[in-house]
Amino acid sequence: MADYREAFVGIDVAKLRNAIAVADAGREGEVRFFGEVDASEESMRRVIRRIATKFDRVYFCYEAGPTGYGLYRLIRSLGHECTVVAPSLIPRKPGDRVKTNRRDAFALARLLRAGELTAVWVPDEGHEAMRDLVRARAAAVETLRVHRQHVSAFMLKHGRIYPRKKGWTMRYLRWLQEQPFDHPAHQIALQEMVEAVCVSKERVDRLEGVIEEFVPAWSLAPIVRALQTLRGVD
C-alpha cells in the first residue's frame, strides 16, 4: 500500500498545443512541468498513456472552453478520471494577473490535488448535438430579428406606416410589395431586405423542423414535452 502512487494532471488546453503539469500525491508532492504537446487526439493519447504508466492512478483536469469535451471523452475512454473545470470558479490569489500556459497548467494540477476545483456538467454526445442544434436555431432567430428590424427602419425612414397592428403576416408582406418609390434604388433595396427576411425565416423553420424530428430520441424528451404543456411554450 505504501508504494501506491497517484498523480494529478493539469492541462491548459489550446487550439494547437496543450501545456501539461503533473503533481504527485501528498501535501509536499512534487509538481513538475511535463511540457507542451500537440493538441491532436493521437498525440494526447500517447501522452496520457505515457503519464499513466508511471502511476497506479491518475486524475486529469482542464478548463471548460471552446475546445469542447473531446479531450474529456478521450481520457475517460482510456480508463482515467477527468474533471472539466468551471473557469469562473477557479480559486485565484489576489494580485495574480500573470497568465501563461505553463503557470495555468501548474495551478490546475495543484488545485486538483487539493480538491479545490468545481466541475461542470459534461453532456453526452447526443445531448451536445441537440445543444448545438438549438444554438443554431437561436442564431437563426437573431438573424431574422435583425433583418426584420432593417425593413422596419427603412419603412419608417420613408414615412411608410403599416395601418394594422400585427406585422410580418402574409398581408404585411403584400403591403411591403405594394409600396411604390420614386427612385428604383429604393425599390431594389427594399426587395433585397425583404428577401433576406424570407430566407432567414425559412432557415428558422428548417431548424425547428429538425429539432422536432430529433426530440423523441433525446434523453431530455420527457422534460421538453412537459414544458410544452405550459401556455406560450413550444
Side-chain angles (χ1 to χ4, degrees), residues 11 18 20 34 37-53 60 70-71 73-80:
I11 307 174
N18 296 335
I20 302 175
F34 181 86
V37 301
D38 187 83
S40 68
E41 179 178 334
E42 189 53 41
S43 175
M44 290 303 300
R45 187 186 300 273
R46 288 197 301 269
V47 168
I48 292 165
R49 285 173 172 164
R50 180 179 168 186
I51 294 173
T53 57
F60 294 83
L71 180 56
R73 296 185 180 114
L74 171 62
I75 293 170
R76 297 280 293 181
S77 71
L78 294 174
H80 308 293

Side-chain angles (χ1 to χ4, degrees), residues 13 62-69 83-87 90 120:
V13 297
Y62 68 95
E63 291 185 43
T67 56
Y69 304 110
T83 301
V84 182
V85 182
I90 295 177
V120 302

Side-chain angles (χ1 to χ4, degrees), residues 116-191:
E116 296 182 8
L117 294 175
T118 302
V120 302
W121 175 70
V122 178
D124 59 36
E125 291 181 335
H127 186 92
E128 188 176 11
M130 286 298 295
R131 176 187 287 179
D132 289 339
L133 192 57
V134 170
R135 285 174 175 169
R137 185 255 179 197
V141 169
E142 175 60 18
T143 300
L144 175 60
R145 185 195 67 78
V146 170
H147 287 315
R148 284 178 170 177
Q149 181 60 36
H150 289 168
V151 173
S152 298
F154 180 85
M155 299 304 289
L156 181 61
K157 183 176 70 172
H158 290 280
R160 310 297 173 87
I161 309 299
Y162 184 56
R164 297 177 180 272
K165 290 184 178 181
K166 189 174 181 180
W168 298 110
T169 61
M170 292 303 298
R171 179 176 291 178
Y172 178 72
L173 291 173
R174 285 196 300 270
W175 177 80
L176 289 175
Q177 295 170 355
E178 293 167 356
Q179 298 303 301
F181 291 89
D182 294 335
H183 200 292
H186 286 147
Q187 202 76 52
I188 293 172
L190 177 60
Q191 290 172 355

Side-chain angles (χ1 to χ4, degrees), residues 102-119:
R102 182 189 181 107
R103 284 170 63 96
D104 288 348
F106 267 101
L108 286 171
R110 289 194 184 99
L111 291 169
L112 178 64
R113 181 177 64 186
E116 296 182 8
L117 294 175
T118 302

